[in-house]
Amino acid sequence: MLSYNWSCPVCDITNAADSDKCAKCGSPAFLNATEIEARRTAFMANSKKQFTCTKCGHHAFKSGEVQVAGGILGRMFEVDADRFT
């Protein structure tokens, strides 16, 4: 048993010291590099499928970017300072 809180190498969530499995992805506390990479690949593939819209509950989405002006000078010279996805 671990005596400190540990961060899962697969999903990067912090887990309690008394747990031997990750609370989010179920990975064991002790993995070798090959197991970490395999579990991380599977976790990332599954997490993309698990997106749920908070308004309508749908699982599909489209991603895009928008740039906006940051301040008065940015607006005057049409400089886009902030980028959002």
Side-chain angles (χ1 to χ4, degrees):
M1 225 13 103
L2 298 173
S3 60
Y4 54 88
N5 290 344
W6 57 279
S7 180
C8 177
V10 176
C11 66
D12 295 326
I13 191 172
T14 302
N15 292 285
D18 60 346
S19 64
D20 57 348
K21 290 172 67 175
C22 177
K24 185 174 183 180
C25 68
S27 295
F30 300 102
L31 296 169
N32 64 34
T34 307
E35 292 170 330
I36 291 171
E37 198 58 39
R39 285 180 177 265
R40 186 176 291 156
T41 302
F43 177 76
M44 294 305 286
N46 288 337
S47 64
K48 289 180 183 175
K49 294 177 187 173
Q50 294 176 353
F51 170 80
T52 304
C53 177
T54 55
K55 283 186 168 183
C56 65
H58 283 104
H59 298 290
F61 65 95
K62 289 184 180 178
S63 175
E65 287 189 1
V66 63
Q67 293 182 336
V68 294
I72 295 172
L73 291 175
R75 290 184 195 131
M76 288 175 52
F77 296 109
E78 297 179 10
V79 177
D80 296 330
D82 299 322
R83 178 180 289 178
F84 300 95
T85 300

